[in-house]
Amino acid sequence: MRGYARATVLACVGLLAACAAPGPGGLKIDRSIQAVSQSSRVSVVVLHYTVADTPRALEILSKRNVSSHYLITDETPPRVFQLVDESRRAWHAGESAWYGRSDLNAASIGIEIVNRGPENGGWQPYSDAQIDTLITLLRDIVTRHQIHARNVVGHSDIAPQRKQDPGPAFPWKRLAEAGLARWYDETRAMQRIQHYQSSGLPPVRDIQEKLRRAGYPVELSGTLDAATRKVLAAFQMRYRPARHDGEPDAETLAILDSLP
Ligand SMILES: [Zn+2]
């Protein structure tokens, strides 16, 4: 008995919070045994730009009916604010889908980056310091929640009909080089460009199926409608930002074929 009591005390030293916290109505809840079969509820990270500057973004994201877990400012050095606990739902994704899953607020962490977005016909760049900060933050999040690189996405990936953020100025390749986002096999893409240049592009339905296999929410309508063009534009902004007009071309198809 004495030995058992000592073991319990030792267990409580290790699991101090678990043992000390009483349950509701004074219930004693024993949290000393934790199941091996469990995982994080978070499987996606969504990146956004704020359009607003830091003070305004903080005001909007903390006091209105929109929020994010983190905000990275454009100060030197950037500051990181956590506005919502990771265990809770932030309201950042809106109507969206990725690999067929909707209600992404329930399964994602949202990171807002202070950037004005489209401006005077161009796009404001992100600073290296912002991206370095993001990479440090993301590496920790992705490791703790075991998030796959293909599930680190932009708002425009999951809501291509409504959103453009983080925009074509966002350096996705830097994130990919840090192992934190998906990128394509560039050698294979070169070969596929030649293939499409000599054989022509596939039917629109095939293009839609390829986009869907890459995670994008797109109807298999078989016609190059406005909705499909928006999905293509979102894809291009991320992987071929030099031209993101939503027009299918050999390079876009080649990249689509070369995703891991
Ligand atoms: Zn957004």
Side-chain angles (χ1 to χ4, degrees):
M1 195 64 195
R2 212 180 250 171
Y4 174 77
R6 194 181 300 133
T8 306
V9 168
L10 286 174
C12 284
V13 169
L15 296 159
L16 202 53
C19 288
L27 272 181
K28 231 178 106 189
I29 297 179
D30 190 337
R31 297 187 176 92
S32 63
I33 303 167
Q34 293 286 299
V36 293
S37 297
Q38 56 175 301
S39 59
S40 171
R41 292 172 189 266
V42 175
S43 57
V44 175
V45 177
V46 185
L47 305 181
H48 307 259
Y49 58 50
T50 55
V51 177
D53 62 15
T54 296
R56 180 111 184 93
L58 279 170
E59 163 92 18
I60 293 168
L61 293 169
S62 65
K63 293 184 177 157
R64 306 276 178 84
N65 62 348
V66 58
S67 60
S68 67
H69 294 89
Y70 295 98
L71 173 78
I72 297 175
T73 75
D74 60 351
E75 296 153 313
T76 313
R79 279 187 295 169
V80 181
F81 287 88
Q82 181 166 9
L83 305 169
V84 177
D85 190 273
E86 286 183 12
S87 66
R88 292 179 63 79
R89 184 191 300 232
W91 299 357
H92 61 98
E95 195 182 330
S96 54
W98 189 242
Y99 282 104
R101 171 162 196 174
S102 55
D103 189 18
L104 286 165
N105 279 341
S108 68
I109 286 177
I111 302 176
E112 292 270 0
I113 307 162
V114 174
N115 176 285
R116 289 194 297 275
E119 200 177 49
N120 305 325
W123 295 81
Q124 194 205 3
Y126 293 83
S127 73
D128 285 342
Q130 281 181 309
I131 301 306
D132 290 343
T133 302
L134 174 65
I135 285 173
T136 302
L137 178 64
L138 255 184
R139 185 167 281 133
D140 177 58
I141 292 170
V142 158
T143 305
R144 278 189 291 105
H145 296 281
Q146 293 290 291
I147 295 169
H148 197 283
R150 68 168 174 260
N151 289 334
V152 175
V153 297
H155 204 182
S156 55
D157 292 320
I158 62 169
Q161 304 304 322
R162 304 184 295 118
K163 296 292 175 181
Q164 288 193 296
D165 56 322
F170 185 82
W172 281 106
K173 195 171 175 181
R174 273 201 63 198
L175 253 56
E177 284 165 353
L180 298 170
R182 178 171 66 182
W183 199 247
Y184 59 96
D185 179 335
E186 295 182 0
T187 309
R188 177 170 157 78
M190 291 302 284
Q191 296 161 357
R192 296 300 291 166
I193 287 176
Q194 287 171 2
H195 162 76
Y196 285 120
Q197 280 171 344
S198 58
S199 316
L201 299 183
V204 172
R205 194 187 157 95
D206 289 4
I207 298 174
Q208 290 167 332
E209 278 174 356
K210 286 173 193 288
L211 285 165
R212 196 179 267 198
R213 275 200 297 276
Y216 287 83
V218 61
E219 291 298 319
L220 303 180
S221 66
T223 55
L224 190 57
D225 45 29
T228 302
R229 284 182 188 276
K230 282 191 171 174
V231 178
L232 276 164
F235 180 83
Q236 290 165 339
M237 271 197 291
R238 177 164 177 166
Y239 294 105
R240 204 273 312 268
R243 218 182 84 216
H244 49 92
D245 54 7
E247 187 65 30
D249 55 36
E251 191 182 13
T252 302
L253 267 290
I255 295 169
L256 206 36
D257 286 351
S258 307
L259 292 174

